[in-house]
Amino acid sequence: MRAGPRTTPTAAEPGLPQAAFTALYDEHFYDIYRYVAGRLGREVADDIAADTFLVALRRRDSFDASRGGVRPWLFGIATNLVADHRRKETRRYRALGRLRRDEVAESHEGQVVDWVTAQSLQPRLAGAIAALSPGDRDVLLLNALGELSHEEIAQALGIPYGTVGSRLSRARKKVRSALKEDGNG
């Protein structure tokens, strides 16, 4: 959870004032970066996160505070940019899913047990995520990586609140099932 004031315009303000944009960037860049890095990898996260704010700056006059907050609006932009890279994302998850356990985590003294476990599960988890539909994957990763609420995800993707719940439930069930099939349940 983040503490501190939000730079969300009121419903009376049209768009986003350019003067407030620096504070908006400072407040939300890391969250957007972390979300994109989780989706596409750190190697492109800087560019996509920066592009998110470039798009937001260019479209700031179209922001409508009566439809929701700035944070979900930014995550919606980021998700659309991620969709432009979906082919790369899917290839990345499929490649990780093909890795053998010993290719991911080599044991050596001093490694933390949790890290090794997480690394050894990464290929199976990545394969399960790659197998999800794009809509289910977006909802799951906005929740898990972006830490968005159901309401924020609905706003970011422009879908009904109930659809978020059903997609998230379905995605979690599929991922759990895929991990159980591999003997990790």
Side-chain angles (χ1 to χ4, degrees):
M1 291 282 186
R2 295 185 62 110
R6 293 281 181 195
T7 54
T8 304
T10 65
E13 296 177 30
L16 286 170
Q18 186 169 357
F21 210 78
T22 300
L24 181 79
Y25 178 90
D26 291 343
E27 183 175 348
H28 297 288
F29 181 83
Y30 178 73
D31 292 335
I32 297 294
Y33 171 86
R34 190 181 70 217
Y35 169 67
V36 173
R39 295 288 306 260
L40 300 174
R42 284 187 262 158
E43 59 278 356
V44 296
D46 278 328
D47 291 337
I48 301 295
D51 286 349
T52 297
F53 287 90
L54 181 61
V55 169
L57 180 63
R58 288 180 178 158
R59 296 184 184 162
R60 71 184 181 277
D61 292 336
S62 68
F63 175 75
D64 182 1
S66 68
R67 294 181 60 210
V70 171
R71 185 171 184 262
W73 180 66
L74 291 170
F75 274 96
I77 293 170
T79 299
N80 287 336
L81 292 172
V82 165
D84 292 341
H85 290 82
R86 192 168 313 275
R87 187 169 42 101
K88 289 179 185 177
E89 175 189 45
T90 301
R91 276 192 304 203
R92 177 176 177 261
Y93 282 130
R94 286 185 179 147
L96 284 171
R98 289 189 298 267
L99 291 176
R100 293 186 329 259
R101 181 181 211 169
D102 61 341
E103 292 176 306
V104 177
E106 298 176 15
S107 67
H108 59 76
E109 282 188 337
Q111 278 190 321
V112 179
V113 173
D114 289 343
W115 183 86
V116 173
T117 301
Q119 292 299 311
S120 66
L121 286 175
Q122 186 178 13
R124 287 182 291 272
L125 180 60
I129 291 170
L132 295 174
S133 71
D136 288 356
R137 187 180 316 126
D138 285 343
V139 169
L140 179 70
L141 296 177
L142 278 168
N143 181 257
L145 299 176
E147 299 178 3
L148 269 66
S149 68
H150 285 53
E151 186 175 305
E152 290 173 320
I153 294 169
Q155 181 188 344
L157 299 179
I159 59 176
Y161 180 91
T163 301
V164 171
S166 61
R167 285 185 184 179
L168 187 56
S169 176
R170 182 174 47 243
R172 287 175 174 163
K173 188 178 200 179
K174 286 179 180 179
V175 169
R176 274 192 300 269
S177 176
L179 293 177
K180 284 180 182 178
E181 287 173 11
D182 287 334
N184 290 304

